[in-house]
Amino acid sequence: MNNFVRISAVATTIAVLPALVYAQSEVVVWVAGEPGQTNVYDDLAATYNAQNSDVTISVVKNSSDLFNPALIPALSAGEGPDLFSFGTGPGQPAALIAGGLVADLTDAYFENDWGSTIPEGIVVQTSSDGKLWAFGNEVETTGMFYNKAIFAENGIEVPTTWAEMEAAVATLQGAGFNTPIGLGAADKWPISHWQSMMFGRYAGPEGIENVLFGDGAWTDAPFVAASAKLQEMGQAGWFGSTPVAIGYGELMDRFWAGEVPMTFTGPWVIGGGAEAAGDRIDDFSVFAFPPFEDGQRIHPTNSIGSGWYIRESSENKEAAIDFMNYMFASQDGRVALLNAGTVPVGPLEEALSEAQMPALAVDIWKTSDDYAANGSVPAFLDTITPGSLTTVSYDGLQALLLDVMTPEVFTAEMQSAWAAAKEAGEIMLPGGIAER
């Protein structure tokens, strides 16, 4: 009996040796969010694991209230995730970068040709000191949602010029629509979507980047002109007689009910719209707001909800990079993300052709993709600028619509808050990657 035991022990030892010699690399991935939003990462990991026998991707999901408090202590201890998603606004990535907690991804950017996927407007939000620190993800955009049935009933074609836009609004006003374009300005933040888009149209991507990362100012002529145009539209009744008296929720209810012909918003409304409109959901579509002035270009509005970082002390950086490539650069990964409602950065035409998405979602992302070559601008300036500036902007935008503040005063107050935040080091670090 004793001999049998000894032989069995030796046999067991020999049997496990190959597993020790050929052990897989494990990449631990942390994601935050509700289960319905994060299940796609389980699916992506399972597919990747089946295709790569030498790597195991392990996804750890946490609610947002647990994720953030646990992350930095874990990274500081040299533990925690190899790969994780985190914010990209001012303050958050700067602390990770300054603490030496995240890896420099610049080599990976060039080696994997990420420049063909990540737009420059996103790169500047995820880089500093000439280095890339994160792969941007969860893109959001904005566009003009409109009621096709109302347009057809009033003989209106989708406007492509400012003159056509003016004519469409005049026709709708003449048909009894007191609010041609719903705004929901009682909640302040919906106006900032217009601000971001219009600042981009008047200043272009370079003009905005020059303020965010250079020596430009919010008092520069393009931003004053954009603010004046927004006020002019308000004075002409484009947003109704009392736009700041109606909240966003009420506005969207009226839009889906067919009482308001247009509203400028983003794809996050589509799910609720399908429930509210029911069988009439096919009455709705999206178009790019036309240029305000001669010579302007349409710049898609793209902002990211997060970026993907790699822990500096990770022993599995190459495997983590390869998994990021699979998620965000492969056709299979991009289609899976779109099907789950998460939009990856970069050109979408090929992925959209395979994705199973609501028609409205395809409309808005195709509209964005159609003008991608012009360069994108942030969809939400309020998410990448300090809170002090956001407060001034929100209040000032309402004041513009109420005609109690001039565009010059509005932009001067913005610049004052911006200069103070800049002096205090509360703004994003200069973006862009050094050429090679």
Side-chain angles (χ1 to χ4, degrees):
M1 178 66 69
N2 289 340
N3 287 340
F4 177 79
V5 171
R6 283 196 294 271
I7 292 171
S8 296
V10 171
T12 301
T13 301
I14 293 172
V16 300
L17 278 176
L20 293 174
V21 172
Y22 300 106
Q24 292 180 322
S25 297
E26 182 183 24
V27 175
V28 177
V29 182
W30 280 18
V31 295
E34 299 303 317
Q37 300 171 324
T38 56
N39 287 345
V40 63
Y41 300 110
D42 288 326
D43 297 338
L44 288 167
T47 303
Y48 182 88
N49 289 340
Q51 297 173 356
N52 296 270
S53 59
D54 57 338
V55 177
T56 297
I57 306 296
S58 300
V59 179
V60 178
K61 294 180 286 188
N62 287 295
S63 60
S64 298
D65 58 341
L66 295 176
F67 184 97
N68 287 348
L71 179 65
I72 293 181
L75 296 177
S76 299
E79 301 172 350
D82 298 284
L83 176 64
F84 60 95
S85 61
F86 197 56
T88 56
Q92 290 181 329
L96 298 180
I97 295 167
L101 301 178
V102 292
D104 175 2
L105 301 179
T106 311
D107 287 343
Y109 175 87
F110 288 104
E111 290 168 4
N112 295 284
D113 190 29
W114 285 349
S116 64
T117 300
I118 312 175
E120 182 61 28
I122 301 299
V123 168
V124 298
Q125 299 179 46
T126 55
S127 58
S128 64
D129 298 328
K131 301 175 182 178
L132 185 75
W133 301 100
F135 198 119
N137 189 39
E138 298 172 328
V139 183
E140 287 285 10
T141 190
T142 48
M144 183 61 82
F145 283 64
Y146 74 105
N147 190 310
K148 294 188 293 184
I150 293 175
F151 271 41
E153 290 167 5
N154 291 278
I156 301 172
E157 299 288 340
V158 171
T160 59
T161 66
W162 182 248
E164 291 174 356
M165 191 70 215
E166 287 183 310
V169 170
T171 297
L172 291 168
Q173 288 174 324
F177 290 97
N178 295 325
T179 305
I181 303 174
L183 191 54
D187 291 320
K188 299 182 181 180
W189 58 267
I191 328 172
S192 71
H193 298 166
W194 282 90
Q195 177 194 29
S196 297
M197 181 267 287
M198 295 180 71
F199 276 14
R201 295 292 179 82
Y202 278 84
E206 300 81 7
I208 290 179
E209 289 170 18
N210 191 36
V211 178
L212 294 178
F213 306 114
D215 57 3
W218 297 117
T219 50
D220 290 346
F223 305 113
V224 177
S227 302
K229 180 63 76 172
L230 179 65
Q231 187 173 58
E232 174 189 311
M233 292 159 64
Q235 290 169 339
W238 285 35
F239 309 121
S241 57
T242 56
V244 300
I246 299 173
Y248 187 71
E250 178 184 351
L251 173 274
M252 292 310 303
D253 288 342
R254 293 179 59 191
F255 174 71
W256 298 122
E259 299 172 14
V260 173
M262 293 180 279
T263 186
F264 190 78
T265 189
W268 57 87
V269 304
I270 294 172
E275 293 182 11
D279 293 341
R280 294 183 300 103
I281 192 63
D282 290 337
D283 285 349
F284 300 90
S285 189
V286 184
F287 66 89
F289 199 90
F292 296 87
E293 311 284 351
D294 292 341
Q296 281 186 353
R297 306 176 80 184
I298 294 175
H299 298 286
T301 56
N302 285 174
S303 281
I304 49 176
S306 67
W308 285 82
Y309 301 80
I310 293 177
R311 173 166 53 92
E312 170 58 25
S313 59
S314 170
E315 297 179 355
N316 299 304
K317 292 177 184 174
E318 291 304 315
I321 288 169
D322 194 59
F323 182 55
M324 280 204 294
N325 260 331
Y326 170 70
M327 287 196 293
F328 305 125
S330 77
Q331 178 77 343
D332 288 348
R334 294 172 71 79
V335 170
L337 289 168
L338 284 172
N339 286 340
T342 296
V343 179
V345 301
L348 293 172
E349 183 176 0
E350 290 187 14
L352 283 173
S353 67
E354 292 187 24
Q356 302 298 313
M357 302 172 69
L360 267 176
V362 174
D363 287 348
I364 191 168
W365 287 111
K366 185 179 185 307
T367 297
S368 174
D369 210 44
D370 285 346
Y371 296 97
N374 291 345
S376 66
V377 297
F380 316 121
L381 282 171
D382 53 346
T383 65
I384 59 172
T385 54
S388 56
L389 179 62
T390 297
T391 299
V392 169
S393 294
Y394 280 6
D395 292 342
L397 289 167
Q398 276 196 335
L400 281 177
L401 292 176
L402 289 168
D403 281 338
V404 297
M405 181 180 286
T406 67
E408 291 77 12
V409 171
F410 169 60
T411 51
E413 291 194 357
M414 280 188 65
Q415 180 58 28
S416 178
W418 174 254
K422 196 172 184 178
E423 179 67 23
E426 297 171 352
I427 66 171
M428 286 183 14
L429 298 174
I433 298 176
E435 295 184 5
R436 291 187 175 179

